Amino acid sequence: MAVMSVTGTWPPPGQAFTVADLDRMPDDGRRYELVDGVLLVSPRPITTHQWVAASLWQLLQRECPDDLVALLEPAMQLAADTEFDPDIVVVQDEVLGAAKVTEPPLLVVEVQSPSTALIDLNVKKVAYERFGIDAYWIVVPDPDQPKLTAFELTDSRYELAAKVTGDDVFSAQRPFAVQVRPSDLVARLRRAGPPQDQAT
């Protein structure tokens, strides 16, 4: 992931980016996110990443209680100078129809790419903790060694709740009871063979 400076009339040189600036970014195939006024730019995820995210989304949506929904890649505004596009969020169903998620979701999931690993585990983890998101999962979609790491909020701090690999099962209770086996999320990838592009 790269930090990008944009010249022009917005924002003025030396001034931090805001969510309003982010809303004017071009639709050019890149993912634009914002943390504490710093613009983060990364390539859009490759298809293997998207497949794993969609597989987990289907599982979560199937198990969601009636008052909750799982959403894929919503814009999530944490503050006037911070906005992310997480792979999956679980929110109350009244959020449906809103342009952005602006209240803390019950769960955020990031499917890790090589270019985003440090951001997911450090920058986003700190931001999500500060925003009060009850559960945060990071999925590593490696066909040979898939992993899921789960953090849960305790006394306003994230504690490691689980770290499972391969055929191990994570029996989550937050935000609802669901069992996740990392190997199930990549089963199709194993049959398809190695991805052509590991860069993102």
Side-chain angles (χ1 to χ4, degrees), residues 1 14 40 72 82 91 99 103 116 123 130 138 161 163 181 197:
M1 184 167 290
L40 305 176
L72 279 167
T82 301
V91 293
E103 298 295 327
T116 66
V123 174
R130 185 173 59 200
I138 300 174
K163 191 169 188 177
R181 181 182 289 109
D197 183 0

Side-chain angles (χ1 to χ4, degrees), residues 130-180:
R130 185 173 59 200
F131 195 45
I133 296 168
D134 193 49
Y136 175 39
W137 300 356
I138 300 174
V139 176
V140 178
D142 182 343
D144 297 320
Q145 196 173 27
K147 300 176 185 176
L148 187 154
T149 302
F151 299 95
E152 294 179 354
L153 209 58
T154 303
D155 296 328
S156 300
R157 296 297 301 272
Y158 276 141
E159 300 288 342
L160 181 65
K163 191 169 188 177
V164 294
T165 303
D167 292 331
D168 295 338
V169 176
F170 171 41
S171 297
Q173 297 302 316
R174 297 188 194 177
F176 49 82
V178 62
Q179 292 191 328
V180 184

Side-chain angles (χ1 to χ4, degrees), residues 20-143:
D21 298 324
L22 191 66
D23 289 341
R24 292 192 287 268
M25 295 305 295
D27 183 9
D28 59 4
R30 296 182 179 89
R31 175 180 282 182
Y32 292 92
E33 298 179 293
L34 190 64
V35 57
D36 296 331
V38 177
L39 188 64
L40 305 176
V41 184
S42 61
R44 279 288 169 188
I46 61 174
T47 54
T48 53
H49 178 121
Q50 294 169 326
W51 172 262
V52 169
S55 297
L56 181 54
W57 171 81
Q58 287 180 324
L59 171 62
L60 292 171
Q61 185 58 34
R62 185 171 65 241
E63 300 297 329
C64 266
D66 290 343
D67 61 337
L68 301 180
V69 292
L71 302 176
L72 279 167
E73 282 196 46
M76 185 174 71
Q77 183 178 335
L78 285 68
D81 62 357
T82 301
E83 182 173 303
F84 295 117
D85 293 332
D87 289 295
I88 305 169
V89 301
V90 173
V91 293
Q92 299 288 338
D93 61 3
E94 63 256 23
V95 172
L96 288 175
K100 298 181 181 183
V101 174
T102 57
E103 298 295 327
L106 302 175
L107 168 68
V108 166
V109 181
E110 295 286 1
V111 177
Q112 197 174 88
S113 300
S115 63
T116 66
L118 291 177
I119 295 289
D120 293 342
L121 192 55
N122 295 290
V123 174
K124 288 189 176 182
K125 180 170 172 276
V126 169
Y128 293 161
E129 179 184 78
R130 185 173 59 200
F131 195 45
I133 296 168
D134 193 49
Y136 175 39
W137 300 356
I138 300 174
V139 176
V140 178
D142 182 343

